Amino acid sequence: MTSTSTHDRLINLLPTRLSDDNGLAQDVMQGLSQSPKKLSSRFFYDAKGSQLFQQIMELPEYYLTKLEHQILSKQRKEILFAIDTHTPFQLVDLGAGDAYKTKLLLSELVASKANFSYVPLDISEDQLSLLLEDMHHRWPSLPVKALAAEYFQGLEWLNQNERQRKVVLFLGSNIGNFDLPEAKKFLCTLRQSLNPEDSFLLGLDLKKDPEKIRRAYDDAAGVTSAFNLNLLHRINKELHANFDLDEFQHFAEYDPLEGTMRSFLISRKAQEVHLGALNQTFHFEAWEAIHTENSYKFSLKQVEEMAHSCGFTVQDVFTDPSHGFADVLLRPVS
């Protein structure tokens, strides 16, 4: 495949950026002006951050990827039977990334000669170009159309331009990055983008031993700490700031009542940080925290109630043997 043919299958629906910082400057200005201070986890994933997250997924403490991979690997036939692959459909992969886990389903679908096309959807055009190349080398006859778009922007485009049954994937416990009202809003908005014949496979991290959850976000080797601190390194680099990374530390805590895993960066001392790109200086008190990430853990009862309130019914639940993770198949209620 040539690069031209790759880009022929990549449709960019994102608006032209007014600046090249992808909103980082605005987010940092707003977040560090708040009390308590806050930075968005969506800026974790520059090149270094993505590399560190790959290392996190291989850590013994980080169970999430392993458990979902186990589900998709061992139960993919059952999952695809429940989806019904006998009629043509589009497999729409929200936040596809490198499609690491989706490839388990794709390999089974291709082997069974299912009549489907693959639609990876991501905000990174570069990531989608790499994925298109990979798809071509693995399965050259598989129809693939990549959409560089926000989730609902891409689904709206499909509804307007390609009237075909959709099987939508949202894997990897990505919904856990929303707070609970946002997660419900996401599900309800998604329901409006789906037709009765469509289906939705949702990955969820389930509530479990609180200490096991905490260790997944504060590993002994310090990789998660480096991942969190890299956000300050990125701000230094892109916004000409002077964060001293040695004077901040990673801290993670889990609240078993709310099912919320929270990550912070803590200032070890009173200090001033200047951001040249913003011409702004921010003061930090000793032991003041910057909130960087929430990751919510769910009970299956919570999921069922939330899905029902948004117009879905739970068709099937696929879990690992420890019941630590679930891929839940939802159907729109007509």
Side-chain angles (χ1 to χ4, degrees):
M1 172 184 287
T2 65
S3 60
T4 301
S5 61
T6 294
H7 287 287
D8 283 345
R9 297 190 294 160
L10 199 162
I11 299 170
N12 192 342
L13 304 176
L14 294 169
T16 302
R17 302 285 187 185
L18 296 179
S19 66
D20 62 1
D21 66 15
N22 296 325
L24 177 64
Q26 181 180 356
D27 181 85
V28 171
M29 182 69 181
Q30 181 177 347
L32 295 185
S33 299
Q34 295 178 18
S35 181
K37 292 181 171 65
K38 181 180 179 180
L39 291 172
S40 173
S41 61
R42 74 187 181 97
F43 294 107
F44 278 146
Y45 300 95
D46 62 352
K48 179 64 174 176
S50 297
Q51 180 185 41
L52 286 166
F53 188 68
Q54 291 296 320
Q55 295 178 35
I56 287 171
M57 290 193 295
E58 296 170 5
L59 292 168
E61 297 97 331
Y62 196 77
Y63 60 83
L64 291 87
T65 303
K66 298 177 183 69
L67 294 186
E68 188 174 31
H69 189 276
Q70 188 178 64
I71 293 167
L72 296 173
S73 178
K74 295 187 176 182
Q75 300 181 63
R76 53 188 168 179
K77 290 182 185 294
E78 292 84 352
I79 291 170
L80 295 176
F81 178 81
I83 286 170
D84 177 15
T85 60
H86 297 295
T87 56
F89 66 96
Q90 292 178 313
L91 189 69
V92 183
D93 196 358
L94 302 184
D98 64 359
Y100 170 67
K101 285 166 286 196
T102 305
K103 288 168 187 171
L104 295 168
L105 299 178
L106 290 172
S107 63
E108 187 69 27
L109 286 166
V110 171
S112 66
K113 297 182 170 29
N115 185 359
F116 81 106
S117 60
Y118 178 49
V119 184
L121 195 156
D122 203 287
I123 60 171
S124 172
E125 189 173 355
D126 290 340
Q127 180 64 65
L128 288 171
S129 294
L130 292 172
L131 181 56
L132 281 170
E133 293 286 358
D134 183 45
M135 290 291 105
H136 175 73
H137 290 302
R138 287 174 183 264
W139 302 293
S141 62
L142 174 62
V144 182
K145 181 177 292 180
L147 300 181
E150 301 283 355
Y151 298 143
F152 300 118
Q153 181 187 32
L155 289 169
E156 181 182 0
W157 187 91
L158 288 172
N159 284 332
Q160 292 177 353
N161 293 276
E162 300 190 3
R163 296 282 186 174
Q164 194 173 21
R165 182 169 75 100
K166 295 185 293 295
V167 176
V168 179
L169 307 178
F170 197 45
L171 304 177
S173 192
N174 286 320
I175 197 168
N177 293 329
F178 303 137
D179 63 30
L180 293 180
E182 288 174 336
K184 182 177 178 179
K185 181 180 178 182
F186 172 85
L187 277 183
C188 291
T189 305
L190 180 72
R191 171 61 188 91
Q192 296 169 16
S193 301
L194 300 182
N195 298 311
E197 68 272 16
D198 296 334
S199 55
F200 178 46
L201 187 65
L202 174 64
L204 297 146
D205 192 19
L206 300 179
K207 292 180 178 178
K208 59 180 69 61
D209 178 356
E211 186 58 28
K212 180 170 183 167
I213 293 173
R214 193 197 63 76
R215 286 197 303 267
Y217 294 84
D218 193 16
D219 60 280
V223 182
T224 310
S225 175
F227 175 70
N228 206 10
L229 286 163
N230 182 66
L231 181 55
L232 301 185
H233 175 73
R234 179 178 182 181
I235 294 170
N236 281 349
K237 180 180 176 183
E238 298 186 24
L239 300 182
H240 312 297
N242 63 346
F243 278 102
D244 183 347
L245 272 61
D246 291 333
E247 296 300 340
F248 285 83
Q249 68 183 47
H250 167 70
F251 177 75
E253 66 169 7
Y254 177 65
D255 181 343
L257 292 177
E258 292 184 2
T260 311
M261 186 70 224
R262 298 184 180 91
S263 295
F264 303 88
L265 290 167
I266 311 290
S267 176
R268 296 177 186 271
K269 66 178 185 180
Q271 56 184 306
E272 309 282 333
V273 177
H274 183 72
L275 279 74
L278 302 177
N279 193 26
Q280 186 78 26
T281 299
F282 295 95
H283 176 74
F284 290 84
E285 299 288 347
W287 308 113
E288 184 177 1
I290 309 172
H291 182 201
T292 57
E293 184 181 30
N294 281 346
S295 182
Y296 285 86
K297 314 303 173 185
F298 298 87
S299 69
L300 289 176
K301 182 180 179 182
Q302 267 184 304
V303 177
E304 186 173 1
E305 291 173 350
M306 189 165 57
H308 180 74
S309 69
C310 289
F312 285 102
T313 184
V314 176
Q315 178 179 330
D316 282 286
V317 177
F318 304 92
T319 66
D320 66 284
S322 72
H323 300 286
F325 199 96
D327 284 306
V328 181
L329 184 62
L330 303 178
R331 293 276 191 180
V333 178
S334 44

